[in-house]
Amino acid sequence: MSQRPLSPHLQIWRWGPHMLVSILHRATGDGMALVGLAVLVWWLGALASGPEAYETFLSVAASPVGYLVLVGLTWAFFTHMMSGLRHFVLDIGAGYELDTNRFWSIASPIIAILLTAALWAYIIFGKGA
């Protein structure tokens, strides 16, 4: 009995993009729940606490670290959304063909990056237009 492997699936399956998308889906969901909730609570607390507290929040949010957190949350949102849409299509029974599944496993994170870049380009450069 001690000679048997504990996880034979690890010897059968090769690493693929669908595994990365699945892991990213879980990680981005957790990241949005933890970091996003902290930012939301801080923002609401700053709103309720008055102009000085809100100015402090805005100064941190507009700092390089603040932008990094906000861009990261945006990327997590779009990555989670694209993976969720991919899983929705799989749940209705479509997209299980190997080439189709591989294509959308690779396209999902790329689309999420493009959507993140487009949104932040609009936020930074589109306000004056």
Side-chain angles (χ1 to χ4, degrees), residues 33-77:
L34 297 173
V35 177
L37 182 62
V39 172
L40 176 67
V41 168
W42 186 19
W43 177 65
L44 290 174
L47 276 174
S49 298
E52 299 84 20
Y54 192 68
E55 284 298 321
T56 302
F57 173 82
L58 287 180
S59 67
V60 173
S63 72
V65 173
Y67 276 122
L68 183 66
V69 170
L70 294 175
V71 169
L73 282 171
T74 308
W75 170 80
F77 170 77

Side-chain angles (χ1 to χ4, degrees), residues 15-30 83 87:
W15 182 261
H18 60 286
M19 294 178 184
L20 174 65
V21 171
S22 178
I23 291 168
L24 281 176
H25 185 74
R26 289 173 176 88
T28 54
D30 290 345
S83 177
H87 279 281

